[in-house]
Amino acid sequence: MKNILIISGHPNLNESIGNATILDEIALALPEVEIRRLDWLYPDNKINVKAEQESLLKADVIVWQFPFSWYSLPGVMKLWLDEVFVHGFAHGSTAKLGGKKLILSFTTGAPQALYSSEGFFGHSLENYLAQFETTARLCNLDLQMPVYTCGITYADRDENKIAQQKTMAKEHASRLIALLKSLSPELKLAV
């Protein structure tokens, strides 16, 4: 069986609807998957580099699960990347992550329509992913197609919007689980 590692970069899962629901759905469907919730593990932002690197070494498939924050990673996940993906481990002549599959799984607060050359941001969402493609290339990671859902916002949450966001997050989780199953056909869904 392929080992799957999910790194959750949400800064506060206790206040999350989308990312928390996605992680909960994956944990239910694929209990053998390791999920590392950075906000729970490192509330003081002191990353245990050795533990993180050991988890990465065991993984065949690595998923970065995060809310798109300022068109990139949230702060805790950027810190994790800076401290864990160092030269000699993640890249360079003695790199150890080469050949592992990497999946970006993320949510955005803004709706999909804003991410286009005609939209408010003036760029497609895919244009913002170049930095991740470069990171994967540097580390010799096999970057897969991203799984993302737009429009999961913190603004104006009422009961109807919360229910809608949970539905969107469950659909996101289903797409991610299907991708993980296609990469690891031997995975069995929990009943």
Side-chain angles (χ1 to χ4, degrees):
M1 176 193 300
K2 292 192 177 182
N3 292 318
I4 298 171
L5 171 65
I6 299 177
I7 304 296
S8 166
H10 195 289
N12 186 352
L13 283 168
N14 292 330
E15 293 181 6
S16 171
I17 292 172
N19 280 258
T21 300
I22 291 165
L23 293 172
D24 289 347
E25 292 292 307
I26 291 169
L28 284 172
L30 303 172
E32 66 274 26
V33 169
E34 181 182 1
I35 300 174
R36 297 187 66 79
R37 294 166 173 88
L38 298 180
D39 66 320
W40 295 1
L41 289 169
Y42 308 113
D44 58 0
N45 289 326
K46 290 184 170 82
I47 307 294
N48 182 335
V49 173
K50 184 176 181 190
E52 296 304 315
Q53 289 178 342
E54 286 173 1
S55 289
L56 287 162
L57 289 173
K58 292 182 222 167
D60 300 301
V61 178
I62 302 163
V63 178
W64 291 355
Q65 176 64 52
F66 59 96
F68 210 50
S69 178
W70 288 104
Y71 319 102
S72 187
L73 297 171
V76 67
M77 194 162 203
K78 177 62 168 79
L79 177 66
W80 175 86
L81 185 65
D82 288 344
E83 293 189 8
V84 175
F85 273 59
V86 293
H87 184 269
F89 174 76
H91 57 94
S93 62
T94 59
K96 297 169 178 60
L97 299 181
K100 296 177 186 288
K101 296 185 183 322
L102 175 63
I103 300 169
L104 303 176
S105 174
F106 60 92
T107 59
T108 72
Q112 177 78 44
L114 298 183
Y115 291 102
S116 71
S117 56
E118 300 80 32
F120 180 79
F121 299 128
H123 299 282
S124 71
L125 193 51
E126 288 73 20
N127 286 57
Y128 291 104
L129 302 183
Q131 62 191 339
F132 300 107
E133 293 166 5
T134 305
T135 299
R137 185 177 306 241
L138 176 67
C139 299
N140 197 26
L141 293 165
D142 182 8
L143 185 62
Q144 305 296 298
M145 291 299 294
V147 177
Y148 61 86
T149 301
C150 297
I152 298 182
T153 181
Y154 284 92
D156 301 324
R157 284 186 173 167
D158 60 28
E159 285 183 32
N160 291 332
K161 284 191 179 180
I162 289 172
Q164 180 185 23
Q165 288 180 4
K166 284 185 180 180
T167 299
M168 292 166 65
K170 287 179 180 184
E171 291 168 358
H172 179 115
S174 292
R175 288 184 283 127
L176 180 55
I177 290 166
L179 176 56
L180 293 171
K181 294 260 317 149
S182 75
L183 296 173
S184 301
E186 65 278 1
L187 283 176
K188 303 270 191 283
L189 289 176
V191 181

